[in-house]
Amino acid sequence: MGDAIDLTGDGGVMKKIVQRSKPDAIAPSESLPLVDVHYEGTLADTGEVFDTTREDNTIFSFEIGTGSVIKAWDVALRTMKVGEVAVITCKPEYAYGSAGSPPDIPPEATLVFEVELVACRPRKGSSVSSASDERARLEELKKQREMAAAAKEEEKKKREEAKAAAAARIQAIFEAKKRKGKGKAK
């Protein structure tokens, strides 16, 4: 959708927006530091998926700024709004560095994550009304994801049907030419 943005100034964390959020969407803040995300992580070198929440449609939750996730996520998620989907490319020094995270992530690996910010929440015990609002928003996003997945599946089915129809037309033309050639006298 857009060009990659260098979030750290050294190319260590690059962000490319895949889907923009609504203009009035909320973002993580001091009062909303807990975030819920969907993501898929791949190794930049091989494209191999090493972790995902998409297969089982789970949510990964964490608090921004506490060091509970890799540096790149703390940097990138601060710039996102609920509903936004972005591709985050993380150099090793903003991911797992020289240690890697065996057995899935080798040392000095550049990682690529497609991340969807699903919700921002207050810490437990903060605002109950905003938590229920976030639950409602989360349900709405879940419905939107399910509808998008169904639309994607329908699109795939249509492409397969179009391929089959094209193959049948080509086969019919080939057969017609073949029959035409047999009837000629020698």
Side-chain angles (χ1 to χ4, degrees):
M1 176 173 262
D3 293 332
I5 304 161
D6 185 348
L7 299 178
T8 52
D10 62 0
V13 181
M14 301 295 290
K15 172 184 162 186
K16 183 174 182 177
I17 297 173
V18 176
Q19 176 183 310
R20 293 200 184 283
S21 63
K22 292 181 180 176
D24 61 342
I26 61 172
S29 64
E30 286 295 318
S31 61
L32 299 170
L34 299 175
V35 295
D36 296 333
V37 298
H38 269 299
Y39 70 92
E40 181 167 274
T42 59
L43 299 175
D45 289 345
T46 64
E48 179 184 340
V49 175
F50 60 83
D51 195 11
T52 184
T53 60
R54 296 227 163 84
E55 286 178 7
D56 55 4
N57 201 29
T58 57
I59 299 279
F60 177 68
S61 301
F62 68 96
E63 185 172 346
I64 287 183
T66 62
S68 61
V69 293
I70 60 174
K71 289 183 212 171
W73 276 38
D74 269 337
V75 170
L77 269 293
R78 290 176 194 271
T79 70
M80 294 178 71
K81 290 185 173 187
V82 171
E84 181 178 320
V85 179
V87 173
I88 310 298
T89 303
C90 321
K91 295 289 185 197
E93 56 272 21
Y94 290 93
Y96 295 98
S98 59
S101 183
D104 299 320
I105 302 171
E108 299 300 333
T110 295
L111 308 178
V112 179
F113 292 93
E114 183 174 278
V115 180
E116 175 187 2
L117 179 55
V118 178
C120 299
R121 301 177 281 116
R123 284 180 193 89
K124 287 200 186 287
S126 294
S127 171
V128 175
S129 65
S130 63
S132 63
D133 290 346
E134 281 306 309
R135 263 195 293 284
R137 189 185 317 264
L138 186 64
E139 281 301 313
E140 180 61 29
L141 282 171
K142 184 177 178 182
K143 287 178 192 173
Q144 289 174 0
R145 273 194 312 281
E146 288 169 353
M147 287 173 29
K152 200 173 194 178
E153 196 59 39
E154 185 65 29
E155 183 82 21
K156 183 179 175 183
K157 184 178 172 185
K158 286 180 183 178
R159 280 195 308 271
E160 293 298 322
E161 289 171 355
K163 283 181 189 177
R169 284 193 303 275
I170 291 170
Q171 185 65 31
I173 292 168
F174 178 73
E175 292 295 326
K177 286 183 178 183
K178 199 172 170 183
R179 283 193 298 274
K180 202 178 201 182
K182 286 186 178 179
K184 292 185 178 177
K186 291 187 178 183

Short mmCIF file of all heavy atoms in Angstrom, two decimals, residues 80-130:
data_model
loop_
_atom_site.label_atom_id
_atom_site.label_comp_id
_atom_site.label_asym_id
_atom_site.label_seq_id
_atom_site.Cartn_x
_atom_site.Cartn_y
_atom_site.Cartn_z
N MET A 80 1.37 1.99 15.33
CA MET A 80 0.19 1.43 14.68
C MET A 80 -1.10 1.84 15.38
O MET A 80 -1.08 2.28 16.52
CB MET A 80 0.30 -0.10 14.64
CG MET A 80 1.44 -0.60 13.77
SD MET A 80 1.61 -2.41 13.75
CE MET A 80 0.15 -2.87 12.81
N LYS A 81 -2.22 1.70 14.64
CA LYS A 81 -3.55 1.94 15.20
C LYS A 81 -4.36 0.66 15.04
O LYS A 81 -4.07 -0.16 14.17
CB LYS A 81 -4.25 3.08 14.46
CG LYS A 81 -3.64 4.44 14.73
CD LYS A 81 -4.46 5.51 14.07
CE LYS A 81 -3.98 6.90 14.48
NZ LYS A 81 -4.88 7.93 13.97
N VAL A 82 -5.38 0.51 15.88
CA VAL A 82 -6.23 -0.67 15.83
C VAL A 82 -6.83 -0.82 14.43
O VAL A 82 -7.33 0.14 13.85
CB VAL A 82 -7.34 -0.59 16.89
CG1 VAL A 82 -8.36 -1.71 16.71
CG2 VAL A 82 -6.73 -0.65 18.29
N GLY A 83 -6.72 -2.03 13.88
CA GLY A 83 -7.23 -2.32 12.54
C GLY A 83 -6.16 -2.26 11.48
O GLY A 83 -6.33 -2.76 10.37
N GLU A 84 -5.02 -1.68 11.80
CA GLU A 84 -3.92 -1.57 10.85
C GLU A 84 -3.21 -2.91 10.72
O GLU A 84 -3.03 -3.64 11.69
CB GLU A 84 -2.94 -0.50 11.31
CG GLU A 84 -1.76 -0.28 10.39
CD GLU A 84 -0.84 0.83 10.89
OE1 GLU A 84 -1.34 1.87 11.39
OE2 GLU A 84 0.38 0.66 10.78
N VAL A 85 -2.80 -3.23 9.49
CA VAL A 85 -1.98 -4.40 9.22
C VAL A 85 -0.71 -3.88 8.56
O VAL A 85 -0.77 -3.09 7.62
CB VAL A 85 -2.69 -5.40 8.28
CG1 VAL A 85 -1.79 -6.60 7.99
CG2 VAL A 85 -4.01 -5.86 8.87
N ALA A 86 0.44 -4.32 9.06
CA ALA A 86 1.71 -3.86 8.53
C ALA A 86 2.71 -5.01 8.46
O ALA A 86 2.63 -5.97 9.22
CB ALA A 86 2.28 -2.74 9.39
N VAL A 87 3.63 -4.88 7.51
CA VAL A 87 4.75 -5.82 7.42
C VAL A 87 5.93 -5.13 8.10
O VAL A 87 6.32 -4.03 7.71
CB VAL A 87 5.08 -6.18 5.95
CG1 VAL A 87 6.36 -7.00 5.88
CG2 VAL A 87 3.92 -6.93 5.32
N ILE A 88 6.46 -5.79 9.11
CA ILE A 88 7.57 -5.25 9.90
C ILE A 88 8.80 -6.10 9.61
O ILE A 88 8.79 -7.31 9.84
CB ILE A 88 7.26 -5.30 11.41
CG1 ILE A 88 5.89 -4.71 11.74
CG2 ILE A 88 8.39 -4.67 12.21
CD1 ILE A 88 5.70 -3.27 11.41
N THR A 89 9.85 -5.47 9.09
CA THR A 89 11.11 -6.18 8.84
C THR A 89 12.09 -5.78 9.93
O THR A 89 12.32 -4.59 10.16
CB THR A 89 11.67 -5.82 7.45
OG1 THR A 89 10.67 -6.15 6.46
CG2 THR A 89 12.94 -6.60 7.15
N CYS A 90 12.64 -6.79 10.63
CA CYS A 90 13.48 -6.56 11.80
C CYS A 90 14.88 -7.10 11.56
O CYS A 90 15.05 -8.30 11.37
CB CYS A 90 12.90 -7.28 13.02
SG CYS A 90 11.12 -7.26 13.16
N LYS A 91 15.86 -6.23 11.62
CA LYS A 91 17.26 -6.66 11.56
C LYS A 91 17.57 -7.41 12.87
O LYS A 91 16.90 -7.20 13.88
CB LYS A 91 18.20 -5.47 11.38
CG LYS A 91 18.02 -4.76 10.06
CD LYS A 91 18.54 -5.60 8.93
CE LYS A 91 18.46 -4.83 7.63
NZ LYS A 91 18.56 -5.66 6.48
N PRO A 92 18.60 -8.26 12.87
CA PRO A 92 18.91 -9.08 14.05
C PRO A 92 19.04 -8.29 15.36
O PRO A 92 18.58 -8.73 16.40
CB PRO A 92 20.23 -9.75 13.69
CG PRO A 92 20.26 -9.76 12.21
CD PRO A 92 19.52 -8.53 11.76
N GLU A 93 19.65 -7.10 15.30
CA GLU A 93 19.85 -6.34 16.53
C GLU A 93 18.54 -5.84 17.16
O GLU A 93 18.51 -5.43 18.31
CB GLU A 93 20.83 -5.18 16.33
CG GLU A 93 20.47 -4.21 15.23
CD GLU A 93 21.00 -4.59 13.84
OE1 GLU A 93 21.31 -5.77 13.60
OE2 GLU A 93 21.06 -3.69 13.00
N TYR A 94 17.44 -5.89 16.40
CA TYR A 94 16.13 -5.52 16.93
C TYR A 94 15.24 -6.76 17.11
O TYR A 94 14.07 -6.64 17.42
CB TYR A 94 15.44 -4.52 16.01
CG TYR A 94 16.10 -3.17 16.04
CD1 TYR A 94 17.09 -2.84 15.13
CD2 TYR A 94 15.76 -2.24 17.01
CE1 TYR A 94 17.71 -1.59 15.16
CE2 TYR A 94 16.37 -0.99 17.06
CZ TYR A 94 17.35 -0.67 16.13
OH TYR A 94 17.95 0.55 16.18
N ALA A 95 15.83 -7.95 16.91
CA ALA A 95 15.09 -9.20 17.04
C ALA A 95 15.82 -10.08 18.06
O ALA A 95 15.88 -9.74 19.24
CB ALA A 95 14.94 -9.88 15.69
N TYR A 96 16.41 -11.18 17.60
CA TYR A 96 17.05 -12.11 18.53
C TYR A 96 18.58 -12.08 18.47
O TYR A 96 19.24 -12.86 19.14
CB TYR A 96 16.53 -13.53 18.29
CG TYR A 96 15.06 -13.65 18.62
CD1 TYR A 96 14.09 -13.59 17.62
CD2 TYR A 96 14.63 -13.80 19.93
CE1 TYR A 96 12.74 -13.68 17.93
CE2 TYR A 96 13.29 -13.88 20.25
CZ TYR A 96 12.35 -13.82 19.24
OH TYR A 96 11.02 -13.89 19.55
N GLY A 97 19.14 -11.21 17.63
CA GLY A 97 20.59 -10.98 17.59
C GLY A 97 21.42 -12.20 17.29
O GLY A 97 21.00 -13.11 16.56
N SER A 98 22.61 -12.22 17.89
CA SER A 98 23.56 -13.30 17.61
C SER A 98 23.16 -14.61 18.26
O SER A 98 23.63 -15.68 17.88
CB SER A 98 24.96 -12.90 18.09
OG SER A 98 24.93 -12.64 19.47
N ALA A 99 22.26 -14.57 19.23
CA ALA A 99 21.82 -15.80 19.90
C ALA A 99 20.76 -16.53 19.08
O ALA A 99 20.65 -17.75 19.14
CB ALA A 99 21.27 -15.49 21.28
N GLY A 100 19.96 -15.78 18.32
CA GLY A 100 18.83 -16.41 17.64
C GLY A 100 17.82 -16.88 18.69
O GLY A 100 17.87 -16.46 19.84
N SER A 101 16.92 -17.74 18.27
CA SER A 101 15.96 -18.35 19.19
C SER A 101 15.74 -19.79 18.73
O SER A 101 14.76 -20.10 18.06
CB SER A 101 14.64 -17.57 19.20
OG SER A 101 13.75 -18.11 20.14
N PRO A 102 16.75 -20.66 19.03
CA PRO A 102 16.70 -22.04 18.54
C PRO A 102 15.44 -22.77 19.00
O PRO A 102 14.91 -22.45 20.06
CB PRO A 102 17.94 -22.67 19.18
CG PRO A 102 18.84 -21.51 19.52
CD PRO A 102 17.92 -20.38 19.82
N PRO A 103 14.94 -23.70 18.23
CA PRO A 103 15.52 -24.18 16.97
C PRO A 103 14.98 -23.44 15.73
O PRO A 103 15.47 -23.65 14.64
CB PRO A 103 15.06 -25.65 16.93
CG PRO A 103 13.70 -25.59 17.58
CD PRO A 103 13.81 -24.54 18.66
N ASP A 104 13.99 -22.57 15.90
CA ASP A 104 13.32 -21.98 14.74
C ASP A 104 14.03 -20.78 14.13
O ASP A 104 13.93 -20.55 12.93
CB ASP A 104 11.88 -21.59 15.12
CG ASP A 104 11.06 -22.78 15.54
OD1 ASP A 104 11.19 -23.84 14.91
OD2 ASP A 104 10.29 -22.66 16.51
N ILE A 105 14.70 -19.98 14.95
CA ILE A 105 15.30 -18.75 14.46
C ILE A 105 16.82 -18.82 14.63
O ILE A 105 17.32 -18.86 15.75
CB ILE A 105 14.73 -17.52 15.20
CG1 ILE A 105 13.21 -17.48 15.01
CG2 ILE A 105 15.38 -16.24 14.69
CD1 ILE A 105 12.49 -16.46 15.85
N PRO A 106 17.54 -18.86 13.51
CA PRO A 106 19.00 -18.96 13.61
C PRO A 106 19.64 -17.65 14.07
O PRO A 106 18.99 -16.59 14.04
CB PRO A 106 19.42 -19.28 12.16
CG PRO A 106 18.31 -18.77 11.31
CD PRO A 106 17.06 -18.86 12.13
N PRO A 107 20.91 -17.70 14.50
CA PRO A 107 21.62 -16.48 14.89
C PRO A 107 21.67 -15.49 13.73
O PRO A 107 21.71 -15.89 12.57
CB PRO A 107 23.03 -16.98 15.23
CG PRO A 107 22.85 -18.43 15.55
CD PRO A 107 21.72 -18.90 14.69
N GLU A 108 21.66 -14.20 14.06
CA GLU A 108 21.78 -13.11 13.08
C GLU A 108 20.70 -13.14 12.00
O GLU A 108 20.92 -12.75 10.86
CB GLU A 108 23.17 -13.12 12.43
CG GLU A 108 24.31 -12.92 13.40
CD GLU A 108 24.25 -11.60 14.17
OE1 GLU A 108 23.69 -10.62 13.68
OE2 GLU A 108 24.78 -11.58 15.30
N ALA A 109 19.50 -13.60 12.36
CA ALA A 109 18.41 -13.70 11.38
C ALA A 109 17.62 -12.38 11.29
O ALA A 109 17.29 -11.78 12.30
CB ALA A 109 17.46 -14.82 11.77
N THR A 110 17.37 -11.97 10.05
CA THR A 110 16.44 -10.87 9.81
C THR A 110 15.05 -11.50 9.74
O THR A 110 14.86 -12.51 9.06
CB THR A 110 16.78 -10.13 8.50
OG1 THR A 110 18.06 -9.51 8.65
CG2 THR A 110 15.73 -9.09 8.15
N LEU A 111 14.10 -10.90 10.44
CA LEU A 111 12.75 -11.46 10.53
C LEU A 111 11.75 -10.53 9.86
O LEU A 111 11.92 -9.32 9.85
CB LEU A 111 12.35 -11.65 11.99
CG LEU A 111 13.33 -12.44 12.86
CD1 LEU A 111 12.82 -12.52 14.30
CD2 LEU A 111 13.57 -13.82 12.30
N VAL A 112 10.70 -11.14 9.31
CA VAL A 112 9.61 -10.37 8.70
C VAL A 112 8.31 -10.81 9.35
O VAL A 112 8.00 -12.00 9.37
CB VAL A 112 9.56 -10.61 7.16
CG1 VAL A 112 8.40 -9.83 6.55
CG2 VAL A 112 10.88 -10.24 6.50
N PHE A 113 7.58 -9.86 9.89
CA PHE A 113 6.30 -10.14 10.53
C PHE A 113 5.20 -9.38 9.80
O PHE A 113 5.36 -8.20 9.51
CB PHE A 113 6.28 -9.66 11.99
CG PHE A 113 7.19 -10.42 12.91
CD1 PHE A 113 8.48 -9.98 13.15
CD2 PHE A 113 6.74 -11.56 13.55
CE1 PHE A 113 9.31 -10.66 14.01
CE2 PHE A 113 7.57 -12.25 14.42
CZ PHE A 113 8.86 -11.81 14.64
N GLU A 114 4.10 -10.08 9.53
CA GLU A 114 2.89 -9.36 9.15
C GLU A 114 2.07 -9.30 10.43
O GLU A 114 1.73 -10.33 11.01
CB GLU A 114 2.11 -10.06 8.05
CG GLU A 114 0.90 -9.23 7.64
CD GLU A 114 0.14 -9.77 6.45
OE1 GLU A 114 0.56 -9.51 5.32
OE2 GLU A 114 -0.86 -10.45 6.69
N VAL A 115 1.80 -8.08 10.89
CA VAL A 115 1.16 -7.86 12.18
C VAL A 115 -0.13 -7.07 12.00
O VAL A 115 -0.15 -6.07 11.29
CB VAL A 115 2.10 -7.08 13.14
CG1 VAL A 115 1.42 -6.86 14.49
CG2 VAL A 115 3.42 -7.79 13.31
N GLU A 116 -1.18 -7.54 12.65
CA GLU A 116 -2.44 -6.80 12.70
C GLU A 116 -2.65 -6.39 14.15
O GLU A 116 -2.68 -7.23 15.05
CB GLU A 116 -3.61 -7.65 12.25
CG GLU A 116 -4.95 -6.95 12.41
CD GLU A 116 -6.15 -7.85 12.13
OE1 GLU A 116 -5.97 -9.05 11.84
OE2 GLU A 116 -7.28 -7.33 12.23
N LEU A 117 -2.79 -5.08 14.38
CA LEU A 117 -3.11 -4.61 15.73
C LEU A 117 -4.61 -4.73 15.91
O LEU A 117 -5.40 -4.05 15.25
CB LEU A 117 -2.65 -3.16 15.93
CG LEU A 117 -2.96 -2.55 17.30
CD1 LEU A 117 -2.40 -3.40 18.44
CD2 LEU A 117 -2.41 -1.13 17.38
N VAL A 118 -5.02 -5.67 16.76
CA VAL A 118 -6.42 -6.00 16.96
C VAL A 118 -7.07 -5.10 18.01
O VAL A 118 -8.21 -4.67 17.85
CB VAL A 118 -6.58 -7.49 17.34
CG1 VAL A 118 -8.03 -7.83 17.61
CG2 VAL A 118 -6.01 -8.38 16.25
N ALA A 119 -6.34 -4.82 19.08
CA ALA A 119 -6.92 -4.00 20.16
C ALA A 119 -5.83 -3.39 21.03
O ALA A 119 -4.71 -3.90 21.08
CB ALA A 119 -7.84 -4.87 21.03
N CYS A 120 -6.18 -2.30 21.69
CA CYS A 120 -5.36 -1.67 22.73
C CYS A 120 -6.23 -1.62 23.97
O CYS A 120 -7.41 -1.27 23.88
CB CYS A 120 -4.99 -0.23 22.36
SG CYS A 120 -4.03 -0.09 20.86
N ARG A 121 -5.65 -1.98 25.11
CA ARG A 121 -6.43 -2.04 26.34
C ARG A 121 -5.69 -1.39 27.49
O ARG A 121 -4.46 -1.33 27.46
CB ARG A 121 -6.71 -3.51 26.72
CG ARG A 121 -7.44 -4.29 25.67
CD ARG A 121 -7.63 -5.76 26.05
NE ARG A 121 -6.42 -6.53 25.83
CZ ARG A 121 -5.71 -7.13 26.79
NH1 ARG A 121 -6.08 -7.07 28.03
NH2 ARG A 121 -4.62 -7.81 26.50
N PRO A 122 -6.43 -0.99 28.51
CA PRO A 122 -5.77 -0.49 29.72
C PRO A 122 -5.25 -1.68 30.54
O PRO A 122 -5.65 -2.82 30.31
CB PRO A 122 -6.90 0.22 30.47
CG PRO A 122 -8.15 -0.46 29.99
CD PRO A 122 -7.89 -0.89 28.58
N ARG A 123 -4.37 -1.40 31.49
CA ARG A 123 -3.94 -2.44 32.42
C ARG A 123 -5.15 -2.89 33.22
O ARG A 123 -6.10 -2.14 33.39
CB ARG A 123 -2.88 -1.90 33.37
CG ARG A 123 -1.54 -1.74 32.75
CD ARG A 123 -0.54 -1.19 33.77
NE ARG A 123 0.66 -0.76 33.08
CZ ARG A 123 0.84 0.45 32.58
NH1 ARG A 123 -0.08 1.38 32.73
NH2 ARG A 123 1.95 0.75 31.94
N LYS A 124 -5.09 -4.09 33.76
CA LYS A 124 -6.19 -4.60 34.59
C LYS A 124 -6.48 -3.61 35.72
O LYS A 124 -5.57 -3.05 36.31
CB LYS A 124 -5.84 -5.96 35.17
CG LYS A 124 -5.87 -7.07 34.15
CD LYS A 124 -6.01 -8.39 34.86
CE LYS A 124 -5.90 -9.55 33.92
NZ LYS A 124 -6.99 -9.79 33.08
N GLY A 125 -7.78 -3.42 35.97
CA GLY A 125 -8.17 -2.52 37.04
C GLY A 125 -8.29 -1.07 36.60
O GLY A 125 -8.67 -0.22 37.38
N SER A 126 -7.98 -0.76 35.34
CA SER A 126 -8.10 0.62 34.87
C SER A 126 -9.55 0.90 34.52
O SER A 126 -10.40 0.83 35.38
CB SER A 126 -7.19 0.86 33.66
OG SER A 126 -5.84 0.75 34.05
N SER A 127 -9.84 1.15 33.28
CA SER A 127 -11.19 1.55 32.88
C SER A 127 -11.99 0.36 32.38
O SER A 127 -11.67 -0.24 31.37
CB SER A 127 -11.10 2.61 31.78
OG SER A 127 -12.37 2.84 31.24
N VAL A 128 -13.08 0.03 33.10
CA VAL A 128 -13.92 -1.10 32.72
C VAL A 128 -14.70 -0.82 31.45
O VAL A 128 -14.84 -1.67 30.59
CB VAL A 128 -14.89 -1.45 33.88
CG1 VAL A 128 -15.85 -2.55 33.48
CG2 VAL A 128 -14.11 -1.86 35.11
N SER A 129 -15.19 0.41 31.28
CA SER A 129 -15.99 0.72 30.10
C SER A 129 -15.15 0.61 28.84
O SER A 129 -15.62 0.11 27.83
CB SER A 129 -16.61 2.12 30.21
OG SER A 129 -15.60 3.11 30.21
N SER A 130 -13.89 1.07 28.87
CA SER A 130 -13.08 0.97 27.66
C SER A 130 -12.72 -0.49 27.37
O SER A 130 -12.57 -0.87 26.22
CB SER A 130 -11.82 1.83 27.78
OG SER A 130 -10.99 1.37 28.82
#
